[in-house]
Amino acid sequence: MLQPGSEAEAVLARAHEAAIGSPLKTFTSPAYLDCRVYSLYDKIPALCYGPITQNIHGFDERCSIASLKKVTTTMALFIAEWCGVESISA
């Protein structure tokens, strides 16, 4: 995973605040996260970001559909800033 304070985290924080309307909060999860595999075994930097959940990776895992929609907007804004956009002509 990326170290705290990376440029990618700053871009994600801006996208999150634009989509959600509040500052990005960070926390440590006791669950096994897929981005750990990328970081440890493939040396691919990764951020873990997602919707509001309950019982993550449990048999009764669930997430808020409303937050899933907002997270999708956040990810689109992140990609647009991180990768850039260009005009297309019809």
Side-chain angles (χ1 to χ4, degrees):
M1 287 177 261
L2 293 171
Q3 294 299 314
S6 69
E7 181 58 25
E9 187 177 329
V11 172
L12 180 60
R14 288 193 293 275
H16 174 89
E17 189 151 6
I20 308 295
S22 61
L24 179 63
K25 295 178 184 175
T26 62
F27 65 94
T28 301
S29 173
Y32 182 83
L33 300 172
D34 296 337
C35 64
R36 181 177 185 268
V37 174
Y38 299 125
S39 180
L40 288 177
Y41 303 111
D42 296 325
K43 306 299 184 226
I44 298 171
L47 291 172
C48 187
Y49 179 79
I52 296 169
T53 61
Q54 290 182 325
N55 303 326
I56 191 164
H57 292 313
F59 71 92
D60 57 349
E61 175 181 14
R62 56 191 172 272
C63 75
S64 159
I65 298 300
S67 76
L68 183 61
K69 290 178 181 179
K70 290 178 180 179
V71 163
T72 301
T73 300
T74 301
M75 290 181 174
L77 292 171
F78 173 86
I79 292 166
E81 184 175 341
W82 189 257
C83 299
V85 293
E86 59 184 56
S87 297
I88 56 172
S89 56

